[in-house]
Amino acid sequence: MEDRAQIQEHIKTQGELVRRLKAEKASKEQIDEEVAKLLQLKAQLGEDGKHQFVLKTPKGTRDYNPKQMAIREKVFNTIISCFKRHGAETIDTPVFELKETLTGKYGEDSKLIYDLKDQGGELMSLRYDLTVPFARYLAMNKITNIKRYHIAKVYRRDNPAMTRGRYREFYQCDFDIAGQYDAMIPDAECLKIVHEILSELQLGEFCIKVNDRRILDGMFAVCGVPDEKFRTICSTVDKLDKMSWEDVKKEMVNEKGLSEEAADQIGEYVSMQGGMDLAERLLQDQKMCQSKQACAGLSDIKLLFSYLQLFQVTDKVVFDLSLARGLDYYTGIIYEAVLTQAGVPPPANDSQNGASSEESVGVGSVAGGGRYDGLVGMFDPKGRKVPCVGVSIGIERIFSIMEQKAEASAEKVRTTEVQVMVASAQKNLLEERLRLVTELWNAGIKAEVMYKKNPKLLSQLQHCEEAGVPLVAILGEQELKDGVVKLRVVSTREEVDISRADLIAEIKRRTSEA
């Protein structure tokens, strides 16, 4: 343990570093990290022998205030109602799995899995996504067909970029169809679902890129990529949305040992984009038609586009040969939805998260998925396969955009759903207020009272205006004598006397109209 003098010296140096970063207007993330180190050093000194807590959330996590939670709830409701509209049922699985369940399923991303210390004879890891636990669930329960959705938190030991909606703990919203069905019908429905959700949330312009793992593997084969390098080259191609082709080529050649000639041939193909016409053209391509699996993938892309036309979503879908999706378990069609233009302009000075305009959360991937026919078989003792296709909605980025939109618009976000406040105009009416609010609760009406014996009427009305409560039921001595309640509409300040017997029906009528 360092002595006090050494710790004080470290505190002085760390304090100077924090001041310098603030003066240089460094990113909020960097400043927060150094401030946390400073607080930890100060905590080591202690105060009167007491331990000082560092009040911060762990790196890559965050708290959500009531306003943010109201926005999240609205987004979840939109997504869940879409999943239910398409006939999905829901399941849940443990937040941690046996380590061996997750090992070897994610390719190069496996290094991002959080391992837990052995606490009871089993090596465990926090779940990395919801797909592998779903495959384990199917194999374990011998389920051969199900259409399910699952919304839950997952964990990644990633380097967080919180300004861009990248966290170590975050929600995933998954929809999957498992079962032996005719080609491309479930796959097309998954794309329809993405189209519906993104259109309904009004996030801005988007496009859904599609490709097929068999087309990629066939392309690698005809371009001269050795079999054992398919997956690692695929992971590099997956970086094309973040890196230039020059940098991707450099990684393929210099780091992964691919020949320059093979890399150049790959470069010609991954620059291609189109629709059904591109699939038809590639089926005639002399090189591509040498690969049976590429031809099978291209035929399926053609079939997919014919179904997408019937689902009326081809305006937003593009066949893109650069789309790779790095996860190892994909076997066929893969897709990714990308926001091409934010639905809200980035704020001029975003003091909350220090995001620059280049790092705006408004542009980037918001959903992804594909076909993974072999994953369930990896868990089944007899290797029985259950074909699966699914999509995962990138909820954190969507939340960030919705929060930006709420900040940019003057619209007030309601954080409660209270329909009526039971108020009193005079003193000594607490019991009457409690009787009335009980009647309302028993009738299923969302109501509240102030927790004071004799609150001022003005403060009760102000609370309703601030919280967006639409109605106030006001009790006074005269109203009690007459057997009525004064019902006040907060927005217009209009007041009307309603008989006690008709009050519940009147509140329900007015709130259903709203």
Side-chain angles (χ1 to χ4, degrees):
M1 182 74 180
E2 292 178 292
D3 62 25
R4 289 180 72 83
Q6 282 178 304
I7 294 171
Q8 281 165 338
E9 192 58 41
H10 286 323
I11 288 171
K12 188 180 167 189
T13 310
Q14 190 66 16
E16 285 166 3
L17 172 61
V18 169
R19 282 190 289 277
R20 195 182 78 239
L21 288 172
K22 285 180 178 175
E24 291 170 357
K25 291 189 169 59
S27 74
K28 183 180 182 297
E29 210 170 4
Q30 194 181 354
I31 293 169
D32 285 351
E33 201 170 318
E34 298 305 331
V35 167
K37 288 178 187 172
L38 177 63
L39 291 171
Q40 281 169 339
L41 286 166
K42 286 182 176 177
Q44 280 181 39
L45 277 183
E47 184 184 5
D48 302 326
K50 290 178 192 168
H51 174 68
Q52 287 186 340
F53 286 104
V54 178
L55 288 174
K56 65 185 278 291
T57 59
K59 191 176 176 184
T61 64
R62 64 182 283 205
D63 293 322
Y64 294 92
N65 62 38
K67 186 179 169 185
Q68 290 167 324
M69 285 306 295
I71 294 167
R72 290 169 85 85
E73 214 165 60
K74 187 180 168 190
V75 174
F76 277 141
N77 289 342
T78 300
I79 291 169
I80 290 169
S81 66
C82 177
F83 290 163
K84 287 183 173 179
R85 187 162 61 241
H86 286 265
E89 49 199 347
T90 189
I91 66 162
D92 197 10
T93 62
V95 76
F96 43 79
E97 294 275 349
L98 294 180
K99 185 178 176 179
E100 64 188 47
T101 301
L102 305 184
T103 304
K105 311 297 187 303
Y106 301 105
E108 293 186 4
D109 285 350
S110 286
K111 60 181 181 287
L112 303 180
I113 292 172
Y114 266 113
D115 290 334
L116 300 175
K117 281 191 175 175
D118 176 12
Q119 290 293 332
E122 292 183 325
L123 291 175
M124 293 173 292
S125 301
L126 290 177
R127 63 183 169 207
Y128 179 88
D129 68 1
L130 301 178
T131 311
V132 170
F134 174 54
R136 189 263 310 146
Y137 171 85
L138 293 181
M140 193 172 130
N141 294 288
K142 297 184 172 57
I143 294 166
T144 53
N145 63 302
I146 186 174
K147 190 193 295 186
R148 81 88 172 87
Y149 74 89
H150 189 184
I151 296 178
K153 284 182 174 180
V154 298
Y155 299 85
R156 296 190 182 178
R157 206 160 47 84
D158 209 343
N159 202 16
M162 306 212 9
T163 54
R164 292 190 295 256
R166 282 178 75 96
Y167 301 91
R168 287 177 166 177
E169 176 194 64
F170 56 95
Y171 273 98
Q172 276 191 345
C173 296
D174 281 20
F175 172 95
D176 293 83
I177 301 170
Q180 190 77 53
Y181 302 110
D182 288 334
M184 294 297 113
I185 304 172
D187 311 61
E189 186 170 8
C190 287
L191 295 176
K192 171 69 173 165
I193 284 167
V194 176
H195 189 283
E196 280 180 19
I197 288 169
L198 297 185
S199 301
E200 200 173 330
L201 291 173
Q202 298 178 331
L203 301 171
E205 287 299 310
F206 66 91
C207 87
I208 305 169
K209 300 176 181 180
V210 300
N211 199 1
D212 194 297
R213 262 292 168 80
R214 292 165 298 171
I215 297 172
L216 277 168
D217 286 352
M219 176 183 78
F220 293 150
V222 300
C223 290
V225 178
D227 286 7
E228 68 277 6
K229 287 195 192 310
F230 277 16
R231 289 287 81 95
T232 184
I233 294 299
C234 194
S235 289
T236 305
V237 170
D238 193 38
K239 296 175 185 173
L240 272 169
D241 59 339
K242 301 178 195 78
M243 289 162 51
S244 67
W245 166 249
E246 287 70 30
D247 291 337
V248 165
K249 181 184 169 182
K250 208 177 285 179
E251 185 178 308
M252 283 181 183
V253 176
N254 299 348
E255 291 177 35
K256 310 236 165 138
L258 192 66
S259 72
E260 200 152 326
E261 185 193 351
D264 286 335
Q265 286 182 46
I266 290 169
E268 284 175 33
Y269 284 115
V270 294
S271 62
M272 293 180 182
Q273 285 189 350
M276 196 189 283
D277 55 329
L278 176 58
E280 284 168 348
R281 204 165 76 240
L282 287 169
L283 279 166
Q284 308 304 316
D285 184 275
Q286 282 190 324
K287 247 199 229 149
M288 274 291 203
C289 62
Q290 292 169 21
S291 165
K292 270 187 184 172
Q293 63 179 151
C295 289
L298 289 163
S299 298
D300 274 351
I301 290 279
K302 270 182 67 179
L303 186 59
L304 176 76
F305 269 89
S306 71
Y307 295 144
L308 293 177
Q309 279 174 343
L310 297 169
F311 283 152
Q312 302 173 353
V313 296
T314 45
D315 59 319
K316 298 288 188 188
V317 184
V318 59
F319 174 28
D320 185 333
L321 269 83
S322 71
L323 178 67
R325 294 196 62 77
L327 296 175
D328 269 12
Y329 52 61
Y330 290 121
T331 56
I333 188 100
I334 48 176
Y335 34 84
E336 188 161 273
V338 178
L339 288 190
T340 51
Q341 189 186 345
V344 60
N349 180 19
D350 190 351
S351 58
Q352 190 258 328
N353 59 22
S356 67
S357 57
E358 296 94 321
E359 288 186 329
S360 167
V361 291
V363 178
S365 171
V366 285
R371 179 159 283 283
Y372 51 101
D373 288 349
L375 192 56
V376 179
M378 291 169 83
F379 294 112
D380 191 281
K382 294 181 180 172
R384 284 172 295 215
K385 289 189 176 182
V386 177
C388 295
V389 64
V391 65
S392 185
I393 309 295
I395 203 79
E396 300 300 336
R397 188 182 284 269
I398 289 173
F399 287 145
S400 300
I401 296 161
M402 297 295 276
E403 280 173 30
Q404 273 190 13
K405 285 181 82 168
E407 290 294 326
S409 76
E411 194 184 338
K412 192 171 165 62
V413 176
R414 278 201 70 187
T415 56
T416 76
E417 294 182 14
V418 175
Q419 296 164 308
V420 58
M421 155 76 84
V422 176
S424 56
Q426 284 123 0
K427 291 185 175 181
N428 303 321
L429 292 173
L430 174 64
E431 288 182 11
E432 293 301 334
R433 283 191 292 135
L434 296 183
R435 272 195 197 97
L436 180 54
V437 80
T438 304
E439 280 178 39
L440 298 180
W441 286 336
N442 290 347
I445 290 168
K446 295 164 184 165
E448 65 177 353
V449 289
M450 273 205 163
Y451 304 129
K452 280 189 170 183
K453 280 188 176 178
N454 299 309
K456 291 189 175 74
L457 182 59
L458 184 62
S459 56
Q460 294 171 88
L461 297 178
Q462 276 176 337
H463 168 79
C464 292
E465 290 197 3
E466 285 162 15
V469 178
L471 298 171
V472 192
I474 304 171
L475 291 170
E477 284 166 11
Q478 192 59 47
E479 283 82 9
L480 289 168
K481 275 181 197 159
D482 298 345
V484 297
V485 174
K486 199 178 286 297
L487 196 61
R488 179 185 172 105
V489 179
V490 175
S491 58
T492 62
R493 303 190 178 180
E494 161 214 347
E495 291 182 348
V496 58
D497 285 348
I498 307 287
S499 79
R500 189 79 173 244
D502 297 335
L503 181 66
I504 285 166
E506 182 63 16
I507 290 172
K508 286 186 173 177
R509 184 184 70 77
R510 286 174 180 261
T511 50
S512 68
E513 282 172 8

